């Protein structure tokens, strides 16, 4: 039996995806274990699930950090605004609001990294974690460019409807098919390489509530499947030529799913 995959999970809300992954590990659908759960707020309901399963948990209180007037004094020593701005496209250093965004996030992310440090993990899953991770964090986790180590589940068929409310956006747009996506996390907003997707029909009688129900059910299945592929060492990134906006040719990293080894 291969060694178990050690998974760190970050959450913000009710944690039903976290629960699905915990269950899949218990049922051995994934040869893995959740080693810790981190939340961006103290009252994230999913923390109760961690407690129930005796999984160590921690909180990095983003709201407090964002409101902190003393942020300059708390910046991690290796935070380099020039480096972050060159990595993060569209980051205009002269825009003080954006600069503050990256500074507060670096303080929060340094706190998460610090709290994660004592856990040995091979993969971080974002399970309804509603905070953007910046290059400061991502580059400390991803050491090998071909095997990223942060996954996210998103409530839409990306690249349609990125952002914070995928099901609502798809519903209000009048989409006839809804779905969810598991992808690796890169510097953009829900732009990372797609690992797996699952769709469902949006019917005339559907409401936002029924769409969310169908969507979550699909998510629980899909996240388990994607994590299992990672655990089996079957996910790698390859670079492909693609059409960018305006017809420009760009290079895009995409996920290649390797055959199962016998
Ligand atoms: C899920 O629908 C997930 O796709 C979404 O938050 C919900 C969390 O539910 N995530 C995002 O929108 C990320 N941008 P859960 O807390 O019950 O797992």
């Amino acid at each position: 039996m291969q060694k178990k995959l050690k998974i760190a999970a970050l959450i913000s809300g009710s944690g039903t995806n976290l629960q699905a992954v915990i269950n899949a590990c218990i049922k051995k659908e994934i040869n893995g274990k959740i080693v810790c759960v981190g939340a961006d707020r103290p009252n994230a309901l999913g923390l109760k699930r961690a407690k129930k399963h005796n999984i160590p948990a921690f909180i990095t209180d983003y709201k407090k950090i964002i409101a902190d007037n003393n942020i300059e004094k708390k910046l991690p020593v290796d935070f380099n605004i020039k480096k972050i701005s060159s990595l993060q496209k569209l980051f205009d250093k002269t825009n003080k609001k954006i600069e503050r965004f990256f500074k507060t996030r670096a303080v929060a992310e340094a706190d998460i990294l610090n709290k994660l440090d004592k856990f040995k993990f091979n993969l971080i899953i974002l399970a309804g974690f509603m905070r953007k991770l910046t290059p400061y964090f991502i580059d400390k986790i991803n050491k090998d460019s071909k095997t990223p180590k942060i996954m996210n589940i998103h409530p839409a068929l990306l690249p349609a409807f990125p952002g914070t409310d995928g099901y609502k956006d798809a519903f209000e747009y009048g989409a006839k098919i809804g779905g969810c996506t598991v992808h690796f996390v890169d510097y953009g907003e829900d732009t990372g390489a797609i690992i797996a997707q699952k769709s469902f029909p949006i019917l005339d009688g559907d409401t936002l509530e029924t769409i969310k129900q169908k969507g979550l059910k699909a998510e629980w299945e899909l996240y388990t499947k994607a994590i299992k592929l990672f655990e089996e060492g079957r996910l790698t990134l390859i670079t492909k030529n693609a059409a960018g906006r305006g017809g420009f040719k760009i290079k895009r990293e995409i996920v290649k799913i390797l055959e199962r080894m016998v």
Side-chain angles (χ1 to χ4, degrees), residues 11-18 49 127-130 152-156 163-167 180 190 215-216 219-220:
I11 61 163
S12 300
S14 61
T16 65
N17 277 288
L18 168 69
R49 300 180 191 272
F129 185 65
M130 303 306 278
N152 180 41
I153 186 141
H154 180 76
T164 52
D165 215 338
Y167 293 136
C180 50
D190 304 318
L216 275 175
E219 288 185 32
W220 304 332

Side-chain angles (χ1 to χ4, degrees), residues 30-231:
I30 298 170
N31 178 29
K33 181 183 170 175
I34 303 265
V35 292
C36 65
V37 173
D40 68 336
R41 55 195 192 97
N43 49 355
L45 279 177
L47 287 169
K48 291 197 178 132
R49 300 180 191 272
K51 197 168 178 201
K52 190 169 162 222
H53 291 274
N54 288 319
I55 301 168
F58 64 83
I59 294 151
T60 292
D61 195 336
Y62 268 65
K63 213 168 161 187
K64 241 191 196 162
I65 294 168
I66 290 165
D68 192 338
N69 288 324
N70 244 333
I71 210 75
E72 297 289 336
K73 293 206 176 101
K74 296 182 182 156
L75 284 173
V77 284
D78 61 349
F79 175 76
N80 181 333
I81 194 86
K82 268 197 188 146
K83 189 174 166 202
I84 301 285
S85 67
S86 72
L87 292 170
Q88 187 76 61
K89 288 187 195 117
L90 307 175
F91 175 12
D92 171 9
K93 267 193 302 186
T94 61
N95 184 330
K96 290 288 161 207
K97 227 171 145 184
I98 301 180
E99 187 175 319
R100 183 165 168 89
F101 174 89
F102 281 98
K103 285 181 173 173
T104 52
R105 293 323 182 266
V107 171
E109 290 171 2
D111 187 62
I112 299 180
L113 288 163
N114 194 24
K115 287 168 175 161
L116 280 176
D117 198 43
K118 64 172 184 255
F119 302 101
K120 299 252 171 294
F121 60 89
N122 324 98
L123 173 70
I124 296 180
I125 59 163
L126 308 185
F129 185 65
M130 303 306 278
R131 301 286 178 180
K132 183 186 170 355
L133 291 171
T134 75
Y136 180 79
F137 184 90
I138 295 170
D139 287 357
K140 288 194 166 58
I141 300 296
N142 288 343
K143 298 288 182 214
D144 165 9
S145 64
K146 291 294 161 214
T147 41
K149 286 169 51 174
I150 313 171
M151 265 186 202
N152 180 41
I153 186 141
H154 180 76
L157 293 171
L158 291 171
F161 310 118
T164 52
D165 215 338
Y167 293 136
K168 184 165 178 275
D169 294 342
F171 178 57
E172 289 180 351
Y173 197 88
K176 302 297 180 231
I177 295 187
C180 50
T181 303
V182 178
H183 63 94
F184 283 122
V185 171
D186 69 2
Y187 300 155
E189 186 174 21
D190 304 318
T191 53
I194 290 171
I195 300 164
Q197 294 185 298
K198 194 166 171 64
S199 66
F200 54 83
I202 298 178
L203 306 171
D204 277 352
D206 270 322
T207 60
L208 183 53
E209 234 1 87
T210 61
I211 288 172
K212 281 189 176 167
Q213 280 164 15
K214 288 192 220 182
L216 275 175
K217 207 162 160 252
E219 288 185 32
W220 304 332
E221 225 179 275
L222 193 72
Y223 224 173
T224 299
K225 184 177 151 193
I227 295 168
K228 190 174 166 62
L229 286 170
F230 184 95
E231 182 265 313

